[in-house]
Amino acid sequence: MTTPSASAAGTLHGTTERVALLRIAVAASVFAGSGAAATMAVGGELATVLMVSGLSAAGVAIGYLLGRRDGLTPRAVRLLLFRVSDELAQYRAFTRLLRDQGERITASTSAAAIGIVNGLTEMDSDLARLRTAIDRAAPGNATELKALADAVGSPIVSLLGQLQFQDLTQQQIDFLARLSLIVDQHMIDLAQRLGDRRSMDRTENFKEMFNKALDDCVMTSQRDDHHAAAGLDVHETSGPKVELF
Amino acid sequence: MPSTILIVDDSATILMSMEAILHKAGFTVAKAASGEDAATQLTGGLKPQLIITDIHMPGMSGIDLIRKVRTMSGLQFLPILVVTTESQQAKRDEARAAKATGWLVKPVQPDDLLKVVKQILPNG
């Protein structure tokens, strides 16, 4: 089974980025005075956070700085750690932007969908009135006109049904926002960890947090995506789409 | 007299599109944007012949609403359909245990919705 960290690291495109992230892992471990296992944990989590945030370029820069630690004074090392901690905190601005954009998208699709429902409903009423008017003007005749009015109106119900897409995409974007909040919280935890070694034990593992997000996946497609991101080749089967108990 | 159907969903798009579909099929439609709103309408005297509810809503969930309706006088056997994006079997079992009548996964084709509704309300 592939862990989320390993999976995220596997998506790195450049050797430079891998080296940079490895440097973060090594540096974090050395500065924290921890062992090899902690090195992998801290490095892996930092790598995951940076990759998930799409901020690998910043990761490269931080890795470069940390890689040049030889010969630095303890004060300089502390400053570098604070800098990393500060950068992590600032990344939250990006995840917040993602959530804000998501909200804008759902607000605009909601307004558009409501406008379309209103328009379709009005068209349907007008077509019904047209049919009645034709009947009144030419009772028993004008079958071609009535058939035409029916044909124009026939796709309306199907179109109304298709507007459910708005609710579905809204729920999907809401889920992404919840995921970004998890990343957010983890970045706060990591930033605190860099500044306060005693917080190590209190910080929840990113993998655990990621796995908890599965509970929020209500759609089969979401759950399949989550399994894939966790490195699992699992495709869940959902029950019938319509079922009377 | 056409049957009244109460639709409960926090999505305005779903409420409006379902209302249009059911209204066109000849049903009278009442709407509620939350479980609490639905419960208030029911205790206030609304007498629908069918409730169609979402599961995931802020505040009172669809399952909680079903449980509440089942405690209301005269509504123990009122048909309640769940229409939701939720696809987990556990939730489906929970709805069944709460005495829901049926389960439809969004997106629901209008024809499928009307077919089920007409099965439950054969007299319209």
Side-chain angles (χ1 to χ4, degrees), chain A residues 113-114 117-118 124 157 160-161 163-164 166-168 171 217-220 223 238-245, chain B residues 11-14 16-17 20-21 24 56 85-88 92 96 100-108 110 116 119:
Chain A
I114 287 169
V117 173
N118 281 329
D124 196 44
V157 167
L160 286 167
L163 285 169
Q164 290 170 82
Q166 194 277 328
D167 182 46
L168 298 182
Q171 289 190 41
C217 297
V218 298
M219 301 180 205
T220 305
R223 297 177 65 80
S238 51
K241 283 205 74 175
V242 179
E243 181 181 9
L244 285 179
F245 298 139
Chain B
S11 161
T13 312
I14 294 289
M16 292 177 71
S17 57
I21 292 165
K24 189 171 168 59
H56 298 285
T85 51
E86 176 67 67
S87 59
Q88 286 193 70
R92 201 182 285 244
R96 190 199 307 257
T101 309
W103 181 277
L104 289 88
V105 179
K106 291 179 191 171
V108 186
V116 173
Q119 258 182 280

Side-chain angles (χ1 to χ4, degrees), chain A residues 16 18 31 34 56 61 64 67 79 88 104 107 127 142 194 214 226 229:
Chain A
T16 316
R18 288 195 196 95
F31 295 144
S34 51
S56 56
Y64 176 74
L79 284 174
L88 280 173
R104 281 180 191 279
L127 283 167
L194 286 170
L214 183 62
H226 191 286

Side-chain angles (χ1 to χ4, degrees), chain A residues 12-36:
Chain A
L12 289 176
H13 297 297
T15 308
T16 316
E17 288 171 314
R18 288 195 196 95
V19 171
L21 291 167
L22 189 60
R23 279 177 176 161
I24 294 176
V26 172
S29 165
V30 169
F31 295 144
S34 51

Side-chain angles (χ1 to χ4, degrees), chain B residues 60-111:
Chain B
M60 185 188 285
S61 74
I63 304 272
D64 289 338
L65 174 66
I66 297 169
R67 290 194 186 110
K68 187 165 182 68
V69 169
R70 292 302 177 224
T71 65
M72 291 179 179
S73 170
L75 301 183
Q76 287 90 341
F77 302 105
L78 175 68
I80 303 178
L81 278 178
V82 173
V83 179
T84 178
T85 51
E86 176 67 67
S87 59
Q88 286 193 70
Q89 188 59 43
K91 282 282 179 190
R92 201 182 285 244
D93 293 342
E94 207 181 326
R96 190 199 307 257
K99 298 197 178 355
T101 309
W103 181 277
L104 289 88
V105 179
K106 291 179 191 171
V108 186
Q109 295 304 315
D111 286 350

Side-chain angles (χ1 to χ4, degrees), chain A residues 75-203:
Chain A
R75 183 173 180 278
V77 169
R78 272 201 308 277
L79 284 174
L80 276 176
L81 281 177
F82 285 138
R83 173 70 193 278
V84 173
S85 168
D86 187 48
E87 289 279 337
L88 280 173
Q90 287 183 40
Y91 290 164
R92 295 173 59 214
F94 289 88
T95 53
R96 183 178 171 180
L97 179 64
L98 291 175
R99 289 193 294 276
D100 289 348
Q101 280 297 301
E103 273 181 30
R104 281 180 191 279
I105 291 167
T106 52
S108 60
T109 56
S110 176
I114 287 169
I116 293 169
V117 173
N118 281 329
L120 288 171
T121 309
E122 207 170 305
M123 278 171 60
D124 196 44
S125 302
D126 288 347
L127 283 167
R129 276 198 292 275
L130 177 65
R131 210 179 187 290
T132 308
I134 294 168
D135 258 343
R136 204 177 293 135
N141 290 317
T143 50
E144 204 173 309
L145 272 178
K146 282 186 274 189
L148 188 60
D150 289 342
V152 171
S154 67
I156 287 178
V157 167
S158 166
L159 291 172
L160 286 167
Q162 287 181 37
L163 285 169
Q164 290 170 82
F165 89 90
Q166 194 277 328
D167 182 46
L168 298 182
T169 51
Q170 179 160 350
Q171 289 190 41
Q172 285 162 336
I173 288 175
D174 286 349
F175 174 62
L176 292 179
R178 288 199 294 278
L179 278 182
S180 89
L181 282 172
I182 290 176
V183 174
D184 240 27
Q185 185 55 51
H186 197 61
M187 282 194 282
I188 294 169
D189 291 344
L190 285 174
Q192 284 174 347
R193 188 189 292 196
L194 286 170
D196 174 13
R197 286 183 215 165
R198 290 168 302 177
S199 65
M200 289 284 278
D201 294 339
R202 299 197 300 271
T203 307

